[in-house]
Amino acid sequence: MPNSELSTQILVVDDDPVVRRVAVTMLRAAGFGVEEATSGREGAARLEAHRFDVVVSDVDMPDGTGLELLRGIRLRDLDIPVILMTGKPDVRTASQAIEHGVFRYLMKPIDFQALVDAIGKAARAHALARIRRDAYAAAGGDGMPASDLVGLEVRFENALEQQWTAYQPIVGARTGALFGVEALLRTKEPSMPSPLDVLRAASRLGRLRELGRRCRRLAARDVAGTPPGTFLFCNLHPEDIFDDELADATSPLGSLATRVVLEVTERAALEASTRLSERLTSLREMGYRFAIDDIGAGYSGLNSFAEVMPEVVKVDMALVRNIHESNVRQRTVRLLCNLVHESNGLVVGEGVETAEERDCLLELGCDLFQGYFFGKPAPTIPV
Ligand code: G
Ligand code: MN
């Protein structure tokens, strides 16, 4: 019998006695402490009385559904990860489950190895979240309710666990030949469909640096697979510029620096400083090149351009969209191209979706293209 003080405590909730018995037997065999409940209502009562690390619950039950149980747990600010199992998946239930922070949504018949894996991950994320929450509270916190923070922490852990990279081709404007690929952050964590969601969570949790390092490590692993002579474009959060790991030539990406273009967005203001220019110089000495991303997106003007003197400028897709119908946008892009070409830089037209946009951008002087018209972001590196 596992020691209940030490082992991970699971509450299994299902009205089907067969599923319950199999689940309880398998999970005990896997070393978990397990209790069972036959309905959502009984499950909620158990949670009042006892500490559990993970809840595994059926969705469809006559006396209190899994969704109601999950909602009740979140309403009471409990931060326990909940894994839901269903035999009849439907989009509405799934989206409500996501809204209430479900950890995993598994289909019946249950693959028990997958369930054991998911429980292990949920329990680790939960334990880590508690530790961080305590540390955070001790440091004064930032006013975000501790339980929300733990929920976010758990989802962020899951986002990292299920992180992957999408690649989108960047091609020569005249030749159409592959010039490089941009590595784009993606995750299967359902509540973070956009990379901005992951970045926002990392920022709230003080884990931006960790996220940046992971992205660069994944990118470095993949750069080996890019065709020779092509570049890997890698997005860099402004804070990452000062990460010592980035400046370390023996780091995974550092050793490939001559094939890497670091993208810095214009959306965040880069503050001019000696420290910044010194850092940019040493990164360039390692072989890195720089791109300013999202230029013309209606942000700070050409601030970052002046600070970084980038080798590449990426014109935001807001300027690109239907550019053939807008004189103002055409003039802006023409001026940008002239400015960038003066310092021997290259201009990428981003988010190109139509032949009309492509033809107009080529005419205005763009050197490179990226966008759905040439290739959507995909899990494999284009060749
Ligand atoms: O900020 P940044 O430019 O790195 O963001 C690129 C994002 O734009 C990617 O997430 C990608 O999915 C999206 N994207 C790339 N090409 C196109 C396009 O042609 N149209 C639209 N709408 N989005 C695009
Ligand atoms: Mn980018």
Side-chain angles (χ1 to χ4, degrees), residues 60-76:
D60 289 312
M61 292 178 289
D63 193 17
T65 67
L67 212 52
E68 284 161 357
L69 178 64
L70 172 62
R71 203 178 294 135
I73 289 173
R74 297 296 176 246
L75 276 177
R76 284 171 41 240

Side-chain angles (χ1 to χ4, degrees), residues 266-267 293-299 301-302 313-337 347-353 356-358 360-361 364 366:
E266 207 216 9
R267 290 168 198 265
D293 205 359
D294 312 314
I295 273 231
Y299 292 81
L302 294 173
V313 163
K314 301 185 82 174
V315 178
D316 191 78
M317 63 181 98
L319 269 182
V320 166
R321 192 62 58 245
N322 293 321
I323 188 161
H324 53 287
E325 291 171 356
S326 160
N327 287 327
V328 179
R329 286 187 213 151
Q330 287 171 28
R331 219 167 48 227
T332 310
V333 171
R334 198 193 306 277
L335 285 171
L336 254 176
C337 288
V347 178
V348 184
E350 254 195 328
V352 180
E353 291 183 357
E356 288 88 349
E357 290 167 352
R358 175 200 61 190
C360 184
L361 289 165
L364 294 169
C366 281

Side-chain angles (χ1 to χ4, degrees), residues 43-322:
R46 286 296 176 89
L47 284 162
E48 294 279 356
H50 207 89
R51 183 189 70 86
F52 291 96
D53 299 292
V54 181
V55 173
V56 177
S57 174
D58 184 26
V59 173
D60 289 312
M61 292 178 289
D63 193 17
T65 67
L67 212 52
E68 284 161 357
L69 178 64
L70 172 62
R71 203 178 294 135
I73 289 173
R74 297 296 176 246
L75 276 177
R76 284 171 41 240
D77 265 2
L78 290 176
D79 51 39
I80 307 166
V82 175
I83 295 170
L84 290 178
M85 316 177 284
T86 183
K88 284 184 272 160
D90 76 273
V91 175
R92 215 172 132 249
T93 313
S95 73
Q96 286 177 333
I98 289 164
E99 198 181 312
H100 290 99
V102 71
F103 187 78
R104 287 288 155 83
Y105 196 64
L106 301 177
M107 301 305 145
K108 287 182 175 180
I110 291 298
D111 169 349
F112 277 93
Q113 193 49 51
L115 179 62
V116 167
D117 285 350
I119 290 174
K121 282 171 186 162
R124 276 198 300 282
H126 189 217
L128 208 65
R130 272 175 198 269
I131 294 166
R132 286 184 200 276
R133 176 186 57 184
D134 293 348
Y136 200 77
D142 79 340
M144 190 172 181
S147 56
D148 287 2
L149 208 57
V150 171
L152 185 63
E153 196 78 68
V154 169
R155 289 187 290 117
F156 183 69
E157 280 297 323
N158 199 38
L160 294 187
E161 188 93 47
Q162 309 217 62
Q163 183 184 345
W164 60 285
T165 310
Y167 295 93
Q168 189 176 29
I170 298 172
V171 302
R174 285 183 193 286
T175 61
L178 189 70
F179 179 84
V181 294
E182 178 174 358
L184 296 159
L185 165 66
R186 296 287 186 269
T187 174
K188 291 186 193 122
E189 159 59 35
S191 68
M192 301 184 181
S194 151
L196 290 178
D197 301 321
V198 188
L199 284 162
R200 214 174 289 128
S203 169
R204 283 226 83 134
L205 298 167
R207 298 177 69 181
L208 269 175
R209 198 151 276 197
E210 178 188 350
L211 178 65
R213 290 182 177 192
R214 279 182 78 104
C215 291
R216 295 199 297 278
R217 204 174 323 125
L218 286 180
R221 197 190 58 191
D222 293 327
V223 80
T226 59
T230 59
F231 289 95
L232 181 83
F233 286 68
C234 186
N235 291 286
L236 198 64
H237 190 279
E239 278 190 25
D240 286 341
I241 295 176
F242 295 106
D243 184 356
D244 287 333
E245 197 225 39
L246 180 69
D248 175 358
T250 64
S251 67
L253 199 61
S255 55
L256 299 160
T258 54
R259 295 191 59 193
V260 176
V261 180
L262 296 172
E263 292 191 15
V264 184
T265 179
E266 207 216 9
R267 290 168 198 265
L270 270 189
E271 215 164 305
S273 66
T274 327
R275 186 165 160 250
L276 177 64
S277 49
E278 283 174 2
R279 176 51 67 106
L280 292 173
T281 303
S282 60
L283 290 172
R284 281 201 166 95
E285 279 165 9
M286 288 169 67
Y288 284 121
R289 291 171 175 85
F290 287 89
I292 299 292
D293 205 359
D294 312 314
I295 273 231
Y299 292 81
S300 56
L302 294 173
N303 234 343
S304 320
F305 180 84
E307 281 327 302
V308 179
M309 289 309 287
E311 285 83 0
V312 179
V313 163
K314 301 185 82 174
V315 178
D316 191 78
M317 63 181 98
L319 269 182
V320 166
R321 192 62 58 245
N322 293 321

